[in-house]
Amino acid sequence: MSDLSPAGRRWLTLIGIGEDGPAGLGDEAKRLIAAAPVVFGGARHHDLAGALISGERLIWQNPFERSVEAILARRGTPVVVLASGDPFLYGVGATLSRHVAAEEIYTIPAPSAFSLAASRLGWPLQETACISLHGRPLDFIRPHLHPGRRILALTSDEKGPAALATLLAADGFVDTRLTVLEALGGERERIRSTSAGNFELADIAPLNVCALDVVATPGARILPYICGLEDDLFEHDGQITKREIRAVTLSALAPRHGELLWDIGAGSGSIGIEWMLADPSLRAIAIEQALERAARIARNAAAFGVPQLALIEGAAPVAFAGLPAPDAIFIGGGGSGDGVMSAAIAALKPGGRLVANAVTLEMEAVLLAEHAARGGSLTRIEISRAAPVGGMNGWRPAMPVTQWRWIKD
């Protein structure tokens, strides 16, 4: 039950509502909406609930934080929040749960847009990537684009499907079957399919889900599930941690759930980008003083589907000011500058990992000194690649890299 206990618990009720409105609600949900002194939700939710609401109707404010504050101000008194489908799947429940304990919330979910779409298409949800592009860059879909992958993507509005088709076509997925499912569960439900390269659907409802059955043409931009992606996938000016060295470096950084990385002297941004690709919970800050390279990092982040990579334009260590403490730090460029290493070490959280690579003798001298003073591990990485030698082939060595890895006590 959602009635208030003497301790004032379960005062907040979240009710999922679909396009079928009251017809899709159970008796308990209808009773709670009718009895609520105040009901929060979007304008569409209030329209769907219709005559059920007898209390005060409050529509979401912009910015949304104002509505959160208004809900929290009523803590301990009955409040009903209407949400689309499942409130805890890319919904308002996720936001409110950051401010309200689970013991204070009672939830009656409805089928999510993903569940409805999967049921219409006969796609097992556990085998389908479900992502929200609602209010988020379309670039988030890029890491999921693999041949044979099935994806359900919630879009922002009626323009979303066409924009998604354009992105797919540009990256070599023109033959991908794109199904637009509109107003699922309601009287206006409609399902139409086409290919990404021949997208001409019009009059699309603002509330829609796109289903992708991914097909890749030769040369399509596919991001493999590995660390150490091909160098030519990145836009760079030569200032990039090369593929083999990058794979070893990411292994040394050892990303863990929810951690934050500082990528100092980020160059192309490849380390921070691959760090974030390892898991959606990971965050990274790229610190780069060259403006052209900083702009390039931003483009790379978008192209790899991690546009949320934070970018600081400035020189280390001055650029560290005000940044959240990192769980891991990578120093690939500028580490021999005055105060950079000491400031990075000071900023690192206890138990955090610092990995620094040296190509120059000056940077190597810094790492040798730090190793002598603090311990950690030193690794020498030497890579040779086959290259033509006259009419035959031979090994051409790349510049060796000295890597120092250290864990802060």
Side-chain angles (χ1 to χ4, degrees):
M1 296 293 293
S2 67
D3 297 335
L4 287 171
S5 70
R9 295 193 168 190
R10 293 191 183 275
W11 56 273
L12 179 59
T13 301
L14 310 182
I15 298 177
I17 188 168
E19 283 293 289
D20 50 357
L25 297 175
D27 291 340
E28 184 185 23
K30 292 176 182 178
R31 178 181 64 80
L32 290 169
I33 293 172
V38 59
V39 177
F40 286 82
R44 186 176 66 85
H45 301 134
H46 285 294
D47 290 342
L48 288 168
L52 288 177
I53 302 174
S54 60
E56 183 181 6
R57 302 178 183 225
L58 292 178
I59 295 175
W60 298 132
Q61 300 181 58
N62 187 17
F64 184 71
E65 287 73 16
R66 292 180 182 174
S67 291
V68 174
E69 292 170 1
I71 291 171
L72 296 178
R74 291 168 169 79
R75 186 179 231 121
T77 62
V79 174
V80 165
V81 171
L82 299 177
S84 298
D86 185 344
F88 282 92
L89 186 60
Y90 294 112
V92 69
T95 301
L96 291 175
S97 64
R98 301 187 190 106
H99 306 275
V100 182
E103 294 79 11
E104 301 177 71
I105 302 174
Y106 181 67
T107 305
I108 304 177
S112 69
F114 298 121
S115 293
L116 291 173
S119 69
R120 301 297 190 269
L121 300 169
W123 288 5
L125 269 179
Q126 73 272 15
E127 299 172 7
T128 303
C130 297
I131 63 173
S132 176
L133 302 177
H134 184 78
R136 308 170 78 201
L138 293 179
D139 297 309
F140 277 106
I141 203 166
R142 295 182 190 272
H144 301 278
L145 297 177
H146 283 246
R149 194 75 166 106
R150 286 175 168 175
I151 304 170
L152 293 175
L154 185 66
T155 75
S156 291
D157 52 34
E158 66 277 7
K159 299 177 182 177
L164 187 55
T166 299
L167 182 151
L168 292 167
D171 275 9
F173 299 94
V174 292
D175 294 330
T176 292
R177 183 174 178 81
L178 196 160
T179 301
V180 181
L181 303 99
E182 308 165 61
L184 287 170
E187 295 180 354
R188 298 179 297 110
E189 179 176 312
R190 180 168 58 177
I191 301 174
R192 295 179 287 173
S193 296
T194 183
S195 68
N198 295 301
F199 191 91
E200 295 181 348
L201 301 182
D203 188 32
I204 296 173
L207 190 66
N208 65 78
V209 179
C210 288
L212 311 181
D213 209 335
V214 181
V215 177
T217 55
R221 194 171 189 277
I222 300 168
L223 303 179
Y225 300 137
I226 58 166
C227 59
L229 296 170
E230 292 288 347
D231 295 343
D232 58 11
L233 286 171
F234 295 86
E235 181 186 346
H236 65 90
D237 60 359
Q239 190 71 17
I240 183 173
T241 303
K242 299 298 190 293
R243 179 173 64 87
E244 299 90 349
I245 305 299
R246 194 180 330 121
V248 174
T249 299
L250 287 159
S251 174
L253 286 168
R256 302 170 186 174
H257 181 85
E259 289 189 327
L260 171 66
L261 169 75
W262 284 8
D263 183 0
I264 300 172
S268 67
S270 62
I271 293 291
I273 287 169
E274 290 210 35
W275 166 279
M276 294 181 69
L277 285 174
D279 188 82
S281 71
L282 295 170
R283 298 169 296 138
I285 299 174
I287 300 166
E288 176 57 55
Q289 64 177 330
L291 297 183
E292 287 188 12
R293 286 176 179 164
R296 192 176 292 119
I297 290 170
R299 292 194 295 272
N300 277 330
F304 279 85
V306 288
Q308 72 275 33
L309 171 71
L311 179 61
I312 302 296
E313 296 180 7
V318 176
F320 300 167
L323 298 182
D327 302 282
I329 292 176
F330 171 63
I331 302 178
S336 59
D338 290 343
V340 173
M341 189 65 69
S342 59
I345 288 171
L348 188 64
K349 288 181 181 179
R353 288 93 60 206
L354 187 150
V355 177
N357 290 352
V359 175
T360 66
L361 295 177
E362 290 78 7
M363 182 60 176
E364 185 174 270
V366 171
L367 299 190
L368 293 174
E370 292 292 347
H371 178 258
R374 304 177 189 275
S377 62
L378 280 174
T379 304
R380 182 81 158 177
I381 309 168
E382 300 188 46
I383 302 293
S384 295
R385 297 182 178 87
V389 179
M392 292 181 281
N393 294 291
W395 294 110
R396 191 176 300 280
M399 294 182 70
V401 174
T402 300
Q403 183 176 95
W404 178 53
R405 183 178 191 265
W406 175 74
I407 299 176
K408 187 173 182 177
D409 293 331

